[in-house]
Every structure is written in structure tokens, then in C-alpha cells.
């Protein structure tokens, strides 16, 4: 089991947020479109009656 001290949580969150922001900045519009379409397909497959 991995132990994380309370004082390390802020550093971990900052590191993850920074990495996510840098990754998001490097995503081009085609990748974003594919991501949105993929999420829409996933939602439709999970709950087909949700949209209609």
C-alpha cells in the first residue's frame, strides 16, 4: 500500500495540474474533436436513452 502524507497532497495536485495544463496546450484541434466524439459515443453506448 502506498502512503501519502497530508503535506504531499498539495504538491501532488500541483504536479498533476501542471502536467495536465501542458498536455492540454499541446493538443491540436483534431485531437480535441476526436476526444469529444469518443466521449459522445461512450455516453451513447452506456445510456442510449439519455439523448432521446
Amino acid at each position: 500500500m502506498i502512503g501519502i502524507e497530508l503535506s504531499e497532497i498539495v504538491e501532488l495536485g500541483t504536479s498533476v495540474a501542471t502536467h495536465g495544463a501542458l498536455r492540454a496546450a499541446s493538443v491540436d484541434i483534431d485531437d480535441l474533436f476526436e476526444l469529444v466524439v469518443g466521449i459522445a459515443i461512450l455516453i451513447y453506448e452506456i445510456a442510449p436513452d439519455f439523448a432521446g
Side-chain angles (χ1 to χ4, degrees):
M1 188 165 161
I2 299 173
I4 297 177
E5 295 199 24
L6 292 177
S7 61
E8 295 176 353
I9 292 176
V10 174
E11 289 182 29
L12 178 63
T14 303
S15 174
V16 170
T18 303
H19 178 73
L22 291 173
R23 176 67 181 125
S26 68
V27 172
D28 79 357
I29 196 69
D30 291 333
D31 291 338
L32 182 61
F33 178 75
E34 288 179 14
L35 177 65
V36 170
V37 169
I39 291 171
I41 291 171
L42 180 64
I43 291 172
Y44 180 76
E45 289 179 357
I46 291 173
D49 296 330
F50 179 74

